[in-house]
Amino acid sequence: MSVGCAHSKRTPESELPQYEHVFQKPLAEALAATRQLLEEQGHTFEETEDPNQLVTQWKGPGKSASRAETHTRYLVTGIVLSPRQSVVRIFRMTQQAAGNDVEWRNHWWKISAERGEHMSNPFVKAVDLQENDAETKRLAMLRGAQHGVRDLELEKALTLRLESAPSVEVISGNVMEAKRPTAVRAPEFYLDRWQEEPPTAGPCTTSVRGLEELLHPGLTLIIGEQLGSREAPEVVGHAVCQAGQTGLAVVLGLSLPASEQARVDAYLASPGAPADQDTLLEGNFWSRPYQDGRSSRAILDLIDRVRALRAAGQRVTLVAYDTDVLRGSERDAAQAKVWTERRARKPDEVHVVLAGNTHTRTTKGTDWDKDFTPMAHLLKGYPSLVVLEMSYAQGTRWGCDLDRSGKLACGIVGATPAPRVSAPAGLSPYVQRLEAPADEGFQGLLYVGELTPSMPAILGLREAPPPSSMPAPPPIHMKPPIF
C-alpha cells in the first residue's frame, strides 16, 4: 500500500527569510525574550545541554480517535556574532506518528502507547534497546521522522518585542561620572554649515508632503520619535523650514533640559563657528555617562539648522522644554506647562515639538505605569493640537536599554516598526492623516525613511559598525523587507 499527499511545490523562499536579522543585543537577552514569548503562548521547556538552544515540550493534537497524529514543538537556536550582536532562529518542529488502530483491540493499551509516544524524547543521544526493556524498545520504534521549518511569524513577533519598545530616557545619573577627557577635536568633527553660502533658492531643500495642509497660526504639532536616529531630526528640520518659509513664527521644541537654554540661545545668535560649537557642547547634558539619543549629532545638526534658518531671515526659535530633576508624570507635567504658558503669551505661534513617543500619547497609562500621565494628554484640550507618530522602515538607532541584570547599557540597537507605523524604505518624507485616532491618540504619521543611528555628539563623527560578520547580501536596487 502506498500513501501520498498533494501539496504545492515548496521552494526555499517559502521557508527561509531572504536576509538574516541581526539583533543588537547579547544572545542571552534575546533568548530570554524568546522564552518569555513562547511561555505566553502556553509552551513549557525541556532542559538542554547547549545554553544557546531552547526546546519546548511536544504538544499533541489533543483527543483523537486515530494514531495517525501530528505533534509539534519549537526548537530555538541562537548564534553569537559579537558581545552585543546575535541571531535567533525559531523552528517549528513536527513529528508524525502513524499506526493502525486495528492492532489495538484493547482501547486502554492504545491510550498508554500514545502517552508513551508523547513523552518520548527524540533528542537523547542513545537508546537502550535491551530485550527485557520492551517499553523502551517500543517507544524508540514509535518515534517518527521530524520536520522543521522557520516560523517567521514568531521571529517577527520577537523582533517587534525587542526593537519596537518605547525609547529609554536617562533623566539623572546617580552614577559616578568618569573623568571627562580633554576636548581635542579634529577639524572634521565640526559642522561646516557656517562656512556655506546660503542657497539662492532658499534654505528649504526638501518639502514634507502633506504638511502644508496642517500649517496655520496657533498650530501645536507634536511628533513622537524613536530616539537616536539620523532621519527623525533631519525630517523635523525640513518641517520647521517649510513652516518658517510661510512667514509664520515657528518654535521648535527639543527634549533638552531647560538649564541648556542659555547656551542654545547664545549659539543661535552666533555664527556657528567651531568655537561656538565647543561652547554649546560644554553643557553637562552633552557629556552624560549614559546618552539616550537626545544628545546625538543629529540633534546638534538640527540646532545648527535653526541657527542657519534665523540667519536666512526666518522667524524660527528653539525651546529646551525638558527637565533633568523630575521623573514620571511630574516630568511630563513640567513639559506641558512650558507649552501652555508659552501659548498663553503668544497664541499665534506654530509649535513643533519633538519628543520620545512615550510623551506624545494623549491617553493615560502605560504597560509599566497605569497612572502615567503623558505631556500630550495634558495638552489635548488645545483646539489646534495635532499629534503625529514617526513612521519608518526597519533599521538601527542609538539607544539605551536595560539588560537582564537591570544594568543600563547604551549603544546601537535594532529598530523594527510595529505594523501600524511600518513603511517601505526609499520614499520622500510625508504626512499621512488617519481616519480615526490610534489607541495612543496620535492622528497621523510622519514618514522619515529607513533608520540609521546617530552617535552622541560629544563622540564626534563615528560610523555604525557593520550589522554582523555574515556575508553581505547580493546587491539589488532596493533591499526587500526582512519579513
Side-chain angles (χ1 to χ4, degrees), residues 27-28 30-32 34-35 38 44-56 73-80 87-91 93 121-125 404:
L27 179 59
L31 287 180
T34 309
R35 177 184 285 269
L38 289 170
T44 56
F45 292 84
E46 296 183 355
E47 293 185 3
T48 58
E49 296 181 1
D50 187 347
N52 294 343
Q53 279 193 339
L54 301 175
V55 178
T56 67
R73 78 190 313 169
Y74 283 98
L75 169 64
V76 180
T77 61
I79 303 173
V80 177
V87 169
V88 174
R89 297 169 178 165
I90 304 177
F91 296 89
M93 311 296 294
N121 184 1
F123 288 91
V124 295
K125 293 183 176 180
R404 290 193 301 164

Side-chain angles (χ1 to χ4, degrees), residues 107-185:
H107 181 68
W108 296 107
W109 283 110
K110 170 180 178 292
I111 294 177
S112 176
E114 289 181 347
R115 174 176 172 78
E117 184 176 347
H118 292 177
M119 301 302 293
S120 64
N121 184 1
F123 288 91
V124 295
K125 293 183 176 180
V127 176
D128 185 2
L129 296 179
Q130 297 180 18
E131 294 183 0
N132 59 355
D133 192 356
E135 178 67 10
T136 302
K137 182 176 181 179
R138 184 184 61 80
L139 292 180
M141 298 300 293
L142 283 175
R143 290 197 188 99
Q146 295 184 38
H147 180 60
V149 295
R150 293 283 288 275
D151 193 321
L152 299 186
E153 288 302 316
L154 266 180
E155 290 187 11
K156 178 179 180 181
L158 174 65
T159 304
L160 291 174
R161 174 165 298 198
L162 289 174
E163 298 188 351
S164 65
S167 306
V168 174
E169 298 180 4
V170 185
I171 304 308
S172 65
N174 26 359
V175 225
M176 183 179 297
E177 295 190 23
K179 184 178 180 180
R180 183 179 175 184
T182 305
V184 179
R185 299 185 175 111

Side-chain angles (χ1 to χ4, degrees), residues 82-394:
S82 73
R84 284 191 56 83
Q85 289 184 322
S86 58
V87 169
V88 174
R89 297 169 178 165
I90 304 177
F91 296 89
R92 185 176 184 270
M93 311 296 294
T94 58
Q95 173 186 353
Q96 287 192 338
N100 188 348
D101 283 350
V102 176
E103 299 175 359
W104 301 93
R105 299 182 181 180
N106 188 313
H107 181 68
W108 296 107
W109 283 110
K110 170 180 178 292
I111 294 177
S112 176
E114 289 181 347
R115 174 176 172 78
E117 184 176 347
H118 292 177
M119 301 302 293
S120 64
N121 184 1
F123 288 91
V124 295
K125 293 183 176 180
V127 176
D128 185 2
L129 296 179
Q130 297 180 18
E131 294 183 0
N132 59 355
D133 192 356
E135 178 67 10
T136 302
K137 182 176 181 179
R138 184 184 61 80
L139 292 180
M141 298 300 293
L142 283 175
R143 290 197 188 99
Q146 295 184 38
H147 180 60
V149 295
R150 293 283 288 275
D151 193 321
L152 299 186
E153 288 302 316
L154 266 180
E155 290 187 11
K156 178 179 180 181
L158 174 65
T159 304
L160 291 174
R161 174 165 298 198
L162 289 174
E163 298 188 351
S164 65
S167 306
V168 174
E169 298 180 4
V170 185
I171 304 308
S172 65
N174 26 359
V175 225
M176 183 179 297
E177 295 190 23
K179 184 178 180 180
R180 183 179 175 184
T182 305
V184 179
R185 299 185 175 111
E188 59 267 19
F189 166 85
Y190 297 101
L191 303 173
D192 57 4
R193 190 178 283 112
W194 67 283
Q195 293 178 315
E196 299 174 356
E197 292 292 333
T200 56
C204 301
T205 57
T206 303
S207 295
V208 180
R209 290 180 285 124
L211 178 65
E212 63 279 357
E213 301 171 5
L214 302 179
L215 296 176
H216 63 272
L219 169 68
T220 298
L221 181 63
I222 299 180
I223 300 170
E225 67 159 337
Q226 289 277 12
L227 303 176
S229 76
R230 297 181 184 180
E231 289 69 27
E234 180 181 16
V235 173
V236 168
H238 296 328
V240 169
C241 187
Q242 190 172 344
Q245 71 179 357
T246 64
L248 295 169
V250 182
V251 179
L252 171 63
L254 294 182
S255 185
L256 279 62
S259 56
E260 298 293 322
Q261 187 67 56
R263 288 188 181 85
V264 169
D265 291 341
Y267 184 76
L268 296 181
S270 74
D276 304 316
Q277 298 177 40
D278 285 335
T279 302
L280 174 64
L281 295 175
E282 286 176 357
N284 292 332
F285 176 73
W286 301 97
S287 57
R288 295 169 296 158
Y290 296 103
Q291 299 195 42
D292 51 26
R294 294 178 295 147
S295 51
S296 69
R297 187 170 179 85
I299 293 295
L300 173 63
D301 186 78
L302 180 56
I303 296 173
D304 186 63
R305 188 168 183 182
V306 171
R307 178 200 59 78
L309 294 179
R310 291 166 59 89
Q314 289 197 10
R315 300 166 61 196
V316 180
T317 191
L318 194 153
V319 169
Y321 67 86
D322 209 345
T323 171
D324 53 2
V325 295
L326 300 176
R327 299 179 179 85
S329 297
E330 292 183 353
R331 177 190 175 199
D332 279 60
Q335 294 174 346
K337 184 180 178 182
V338 171
W339 298 111
T340 53
E341 292 180 349
R342 189 171 184 102
R343 178 63 70 200
R345 297 195 308 269
K346 300 180 179 182
D348 292 333
E349 282 183 337
V350 172
H351 295 170
V352 180
V353 183
L354 181 63
N357 55 11
T358 300
H359 309 282
T360 60
R361 301 164 62 100
T362 60
T363 56
K364 292 184 63 175
T366 63
D367 293 339
W368 59 91
D369 185 356
K370 301 301 180 184
D371 299 323
F372 177 67
T373 304
M375 172 186 66
H377 175 77
L378 299 172
L379 300 176
K380 70 177 185 178
Y382 281 19
S384 297
L385 174 68
V386 177
V387 181
L388 301 180
E389 179 77 354
M390 186 177 78
S391 173
Y392 59 99
Q394 187 179 44

